[in-house]
C-alpha cells in the first residue's frame, strides 16, 4: 500500500518559470517530510525538508509547502534552471524509516 | 559531502546464480546502512536495515534467506541475492548514515548510485 504518492510521473517547464511538484500522503501522523533529487546513474541527494509543525520552508530557489489538512506536500522551484532537470522524490520519515514516492521527472527546457 | 559507492553498477546473471552487491561509505563510518529496491515506475522500497556487527532487520515481505545482508565493518555492507530469478531483476540502492552524525539530522542518509540487476 503506497504511503506516499506522486501522481505526476513527469513535468516539463520552461527555463525561468516556476516548477511545482506535488506529493500526497496517507497518514496524518507523519511528522517529517523531505524532497530528494536524483540524476541518472546517481543516488538520491537530499534537497529540502519540513516538519509537521511548519507549513513552509524555503531554501534559495526551493520552497516546500505542507498542507496537513489535505495531506499534501509540494515543492516549488523558482526560477527553474536546466540543471534542475532530474527525478524528484518526496519522502516521509516516521518510525525510523523512510517512505518514498514514485518520483516525478522534471525537464526544464532552455 | 559524504560519498557512498556501490559495486557493481550493473550486473547480468543467469537464473539460479547468486549475486553480491557491495555498498561502501568512502569518507565516513556508517553504523547503519539501508538497502532499497526500486522497480520501474515505482518508489524506493526499504528492504532491510543493517547495523554494523549485528543481524540485519528485514522489512515485512522481504525474504531474509534470499537477500543476505552482511555489515562486517563500519564502511562496508553487502547484499547477496541468492538463487536469483527474473523477478528479482530490479534497481538496488544502498544508503548509509554517518556515525559521526548519530542522533543528529535524520535526513543525513547518503545514497549510493545504485546497482541494476538483470536476471535472465
Amino acid at each position: 500500500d503506497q504511503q506516499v504518492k506522486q501522481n505526476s510521473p513527469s513535468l516539463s517547464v520552461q527555463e525561468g518559470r516556476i516548477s511545482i511538484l506535488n506529493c500526497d500522503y496517507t497518514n496524518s501522523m507523519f511528522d517529517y517530510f523531505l524532497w530528494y533529487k536524483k540524476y541518472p546513474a546517481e543516488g538520491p541527494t537530499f534537497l529540502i525538508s519540513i516538519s509537521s509543525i511548519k507549513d513552509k520552508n524555503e531554501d534559495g530557489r526551493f520552497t516546500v509547502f505542507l498542507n496537513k489538512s489535505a495531506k499534501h506536500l509540494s515543492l516549488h522551484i523558482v526560477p527553474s534552471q536546466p540543471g534542475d532537470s532530474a527525478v524528484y522524490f518526496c519522502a516521509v520519515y516516521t518510525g525510523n524509516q523512510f517512505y518514498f514516492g514514485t518520483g516525478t521527472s522534471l525537464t526544464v527546457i532552455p | 559531502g559524504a560519498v557512498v559507492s556501490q559495486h557493481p553498477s550493473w550486473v547480468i546473471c543467469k537464473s539460479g546464480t547468486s549475486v553480491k552487491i557491495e555498498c561502501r561509505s568512502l569518507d565516513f563510518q556508517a553504523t547503519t546502512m539501508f538497502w532499497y529496491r526500486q522497480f520501474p515506475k515505482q518508489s524506493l522500497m526499504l528492504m532491510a536495515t543493517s547495523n554494523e556487527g549485528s543481524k540485519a532487520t528485514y522489512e515485512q515481505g522481504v525474504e531474509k534467506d534470499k537477500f543476505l545482508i552482511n555489515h562486517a565493518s563500519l564502511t562496508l555492507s553487502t547484499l547477496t541475492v541468492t538463487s536469483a530469478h527474473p523477478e528479482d531483476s530490479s534497481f538496488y540502492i544502498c544508503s548509509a548514515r554517518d556515525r559521526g552524525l548519530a542522533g543528529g539530522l535524520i535526513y543525513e542518509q547518503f545514497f549510493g548510485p545504485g546497482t541494476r540487476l538483470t536476471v535472465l
Side-chain angles (χ1 to χ4, degrees), chain A:
Chain A
D1 191 24
Q2 196 73 26
Q3 305 262 22
V4 182
K5 297 179 182 179
Q6 292 175 257
N7 292 317
S8 297
S10 63
L11 174 69
S12 291
V13 171
Q14 205 73 33
E15 180 179 4
R17 308 293 286 267
I18 184 172
S19 295
I20 300 176
L21 298 101
N22 294 303
C23 178
D24 297 297
Y25 58 94
T26 57
N27 192 331
S28 58
M29 299 302 292
F30 289 153
D31 54 11
Y32 207 85
F33 307 87
L34 309 95
W35 284 95
Y36 285 84
K37 178 179 180 180
K38 183 183 183 300
Y39 292 115
E42 295 183 15
T45 55
F46 169 76
L47 192 59
I48 193 169
S49 66
I50 189 168
S51 72
S52 59
I53 62 173
K54 293 186 176 182
D55 54 21
K56 177 183 174 182
N57 188 26
E58 191 172 352
D59 184 3
R61 297 186 297 114
F62 302 91
T63 304
V64 56
F65 295 92
L66 177 63
N67 183 334
K68 291 184 285 295
S69 61
K71 288 183 279 188
H72 180 81
L73 187 69
S74 64
L75 174 68
H76 292 210
I77 307 173
V78 181
S80 301
Q81 299 174 355
D84 296 329
S85 297
V87 177
Y88 290 79
F89 291 94
C90 68
V92 298
Y93 183 82
T94 186
N96 201 35
Q97 74 175 55
F98 288 84
Y99 296 97
F100 287 87
T102 52
T104 296
S105 178
L106 172 67
T107 302
V108 179
I109 303 165

Side-chain angles (χ1 to χ4, degrees), chain B residues 6 11 16-17 26 28 35 40-41 50 62 66 69 71 73 79 85-86 91-93 99 109:
Chain B
Q6 280 184 244
V11 57
T17 61
L26 298 185
F28 65 99
W35 286 96
K41 298 185 180 180
S50 92
V62 178
K66 181 167 185 63
I69 291 172
H71 192 161
S73 77
L79 167 68
H85 291 284
F91 190 65
Y92 293 86
I93 296 182
R99 179 189 194 188
Q109 178 181 181

Side-chain angles (χ1 to χ4, degrees), chain B residues 40-70:
Chain B
K41 298 185 180 180
Q42 295 189 25
S43 62
L44 290 167
M45 297 296 293
L46 180 65
M47 298 176 65
T49 301
S50 92
N51 293 295
E52 186 264 340
S54 63
K55 290 184 178 180
T57 303
Y58 290 81
E59 296 301 304
Q60 191 173 12
V62 178
E63 300 175 58
K64 59 181 67 178
D65 293 331
K66 181 167 185 63
F67 298 99
L68 300 178
I69 291 172
N70 184 282

Side-chain angles (χ1 to χ4, degrees), chain B residues 27-45:
Chain B
D27 50 2
F28 65 99
Q29 293 182 325
T31 50
T32 305
M33 289 185 171
F34 305 87
W35 286 96
Y36 294 85
R37 179 169 56 186
Q38 184 183 24
F39 292 108
K41 298 185 180 180
Q42 295 189 25
S43 62
L44 290 167
M45 297 296 293

